[in-house]
Amino acid sequence: MIISPAFSGKRFAVLGLARSGQASVEALLAGGADVTVWDSREEPRAAYEGRCTIADPLATDLTGFAGVVVSPGVPLNRHPIAAHAASCGVPVIGDIELFAQARADLPPHRVVGITGTNGKSTTTMLVHHICKAAGLEARLGGNIGLPVLGQEPLPEGGVYVLELSSYQIDLTQSLDCDVAALINLSPDHLDRYDGFEGYADAKARLFQMQSGQHHAVFGCGDKHTLKIAREASATHDAGFVHVVQPDALAGQADWPSLQGPHNLQNAAIAVEIARYLGIAEKVWRPALASFVGLPHRMERVAEANGVLFVNDSKATNPASTAPALGAYPRIHWILGGLPKSDNLDECAPYFDHVVAAYTIGEAGPMFADILDPIMPVNRSEMMCDAVRQAMQAAQPGDVVMLSPACASFDQFRDFEARGDSFRQIVEALIADSDAPCPPGIGS
């Protein structure tokens, strides 16, 4: 784990003992801190008997504490811990802030921080992949992979590549990224902010924490991202803010896991970050070709009879689905689930790429009504029926794609379970088109 004397002799409270909370507690204890822990569940609390003070921070006088460490899932706009900590003059922070405080005691290294509404996981994984291809020691962390504090510190010259959600940035005060990137912005998580402006302000803080001599990279696809880029230009030295023009990057046809206009933007941002890290084109270009995408994000799961099957279950809102529709010219589109909006407006520019739609889940009837005047629609209701119907209709060269534009919780535990179901159904039906659906997965 990452251990730092910066924590020695200080008092911290940790609220929430899931993965990042546990990593924070262990790093603080190893660094010599006095730690108070709490979780609503008894089992994780019991694991710290004799090692920590076990007490609810809400019932504790926090005066003199160095910080209250909370999970990014704690809604600061509604949870009483924010007001209680403020009344005691104590900051509410997260594990990324602890990492920032520990950096001075780590071997010389660089930090890449990547945020955005859509595409940040793919871009973060791609930067990590390029670093490894260049022979750089690299760690993946933040909103993806293992908690950064729970990983072994890098040797000198290493690169920490962090995916950062707006929630994590909210809990961070001093992370000065050597390279920070904002891919795009569209409305999301508005239940946690005072409108879209509050959400955008959270993203902008990543650049406000940077030194002027550190690099800031921005996508060019929306006015909100460009506004933050202009603001960063006022606080960074000349030449240290770069707005990426994806069309300038040639060769996308050679990168099988990076198809579509959104992935061209992701790749262009990753390449710009690689350049700032000193990685040459002779390294990053073949790395783009060898990159294997994230599970459930434009994931190629099978190909049969000239038809490609793509699992894009991670697309949980229309803004995330839209670029997936833009990636292929002839798509049999499976969509639906628990809706986050009552329209598909952001997908409309790519409706001409859709051969037919297959609606499922709670949003199915609403989406079918929207799409009926525009394209052929099958009101499939269940995943297995949708896949079977799409498979029967698809011609060589077509793509059958699950890109739901919805959350999964009406029919599945999470988007991973939904994507796994799609994959299993596809594999079963390819083996035997008349076979029943595998039990318990969307039949």
Side-chain angles (χ1 to χ4, degrees), residues 319-336:
S320 188
T321 285
L325 296 181
Y328 299 98
R330 287 182 55 84
I331 297 170
H332 295 261
W333 178 23
I334 301 172
L335 74 158

Side-chain angles (χ1 to χ4, degrees), residues 14-61:
V14 177
L15 176 61
L17 297 173
R19 289 198 310 168
S20 66
Q22 292 174 17
S24 298
V25 173
E26 296 299 339
L28 290 169
L29 289 174
D34 179 347
V35 185
T36 296
V37 300
W38 187 253
D39 192 285
S40 59
R41 300 164 297 154
E42 183 176 353
E43 183 179 353
R45 297 198 306 261
Y48 293 100
E49 289 281 0
R51 302 177 64 206
C52 301
T53 301
I54 299 177
D56 187 344
L58 286 171
T60 302
D61 182 358

Side-chain angles (χ1 to χ4, degrees), residues 79-94:
H79 199 286
I81 191 61
H84 179 57
S87 71
C88 298
V90 176
V92 178
I93 60 176

Side-chain angles (χ1 to χ4, degrees), residues 259-260 262 296-301 307-313 315 320-336 353-354 356-358 360 383 386-387 390-391 394 398-405 422 426:
Q259 295 303 294
H262 64 305
H296 312 294
R297 188 58 172 139
M298 295 290 289
E299 178 189 15
R300 300 160 68 99
V301 298
V307 176
L308 177 63
F309 295 84
V310 175
N311 167 25
D312 194 43
S313 182
S320 188
T321 285
L325 296 181
Y328 299 98
R330 287 182 55 84
I331 297 170
H332 295 261
W333 178 23
I334 301 172
L335 74 158
H353 290 205
V354 180
Y358 306 80
I360 62 174
M383 176 84 77
V387 176
M391 184 179 291
D398 290 357
V399 173
V400 174
M401 179 189 291
L402 169 68
S403 191
F422 175 76
V426 167

Side-chain angles (χ1 to χ4, degrees), residues 268-318:
I269 288 173
V271 164
E272 195 63 34
I273 292 170
R275 287 172 175 156
Y276 287 141
L277 295 174
I279 299 172
E281 182 172 358
K282 66 181 181 180
V283 174
W284 60 252
R285 188 167 287 281
L288 296 179
S290 62
F291 176 68
V292 176
L294 288 167
H296 312 294
R297 188 58 172 139
M298 295 290 289
E299 178 189 15
R300 300 160 68 99
V301 298
E303 189 166 357
N305 302 318
V307 176
L308 177 63
F309 295 84
V310 175
N311 167 25
D312 194 43
S313 182
K314 199 172 189 294
T316 60
N317 58 58

Side-chain angles (χ1 to χ4, degrees), residues 181-196:
L182 174 62
I183 302 167
N184 51 44
L185 277 176
S186 59
D188 203 8
H189 305 306
L190 300 188
D191 59 321
R192 291 277 292 263
Y193 296 99
D194 184 15
F196 178 73

